[in-house]
Amino acid sequence: MELVYRDLLLCNMKNDYIMKTPLHLINPNDENQFLSTSTVYMGVKVLNQIKIPAIQQRKDLLKEFYNRCINFIKTSCLQIKKNMIF
């Protein structure tokens, strides 16, 4: 479970923060440690779909999509941290 937690954290938080901080001290809500919205990792298939011109034209929807993904990852991390003892 620790590996899954760390992998999720690495999707949207700074690598050096995650690697240097003990797991029990990491705060998934710390927005100072978040990656910029466009660098959040969501997988190769998602990245390929986002490159489609029709999707790139809808910046408002793309921003909403990123925000929802970030919130999902953050909520997942908070629940893992809450339910697991690291």
Side-chain angles (χ1 to χ4, degrees):
M1 204 63 208
E2 288 180 32
L3 182 61
V4 171
Y5 181 59
R6 189 177 303 274
D7 283 347
L8 281 171
L9 290 168
L10 287 169
C11 288
N12 73 329
M13 296 185 90
K14 295 176 184 172
N15 190 3
D16 59 333
Y17 172 68
I18 302 303
M19 297 313 230
K20 292 179 182 177
T21 309
L23 280 180
H24 69 283
L25 296 178
I26 294 175
N27 179 6
N29 277 325
D30 186 358
E31 293 185 12
N32 293 323
Q33 300 301 327
F34 284 4
L35 297 171
S36 65
T37 303
S38 61
T39 59
V40 171
Y41 183 71
M42 293 181 247
V44 175
K45 289 184 179 182
V46 172
L47 293 175
N48 287 336
Q49 288 296 310
I50 289 173
K51 291 179 185 176
I52 295 173
I55 293 174
Q56 285 294 315
Q57 292 173 357
R58 294 297 311 264
K59 298 292 183 190
D60 57 330
L61 293 178
L62 196 54
K63 182 178 179 182
E64 180 66 21
F65 173 74
Y66 278 120
N67 288 334
R68 287 179 186 235
C69 289
I70 290 168
N71 284 335
F72 176 80
I73 294 168
K74 184 172 62 171
T75 301
S76 299
C77 290
L78 288 168
Q79 290 300 313
I80 291 170
K81 185 174 182 176
K82 176 180 167 184
N83 293 306
M84 301 301 293
I85 299 173
F86 294 112

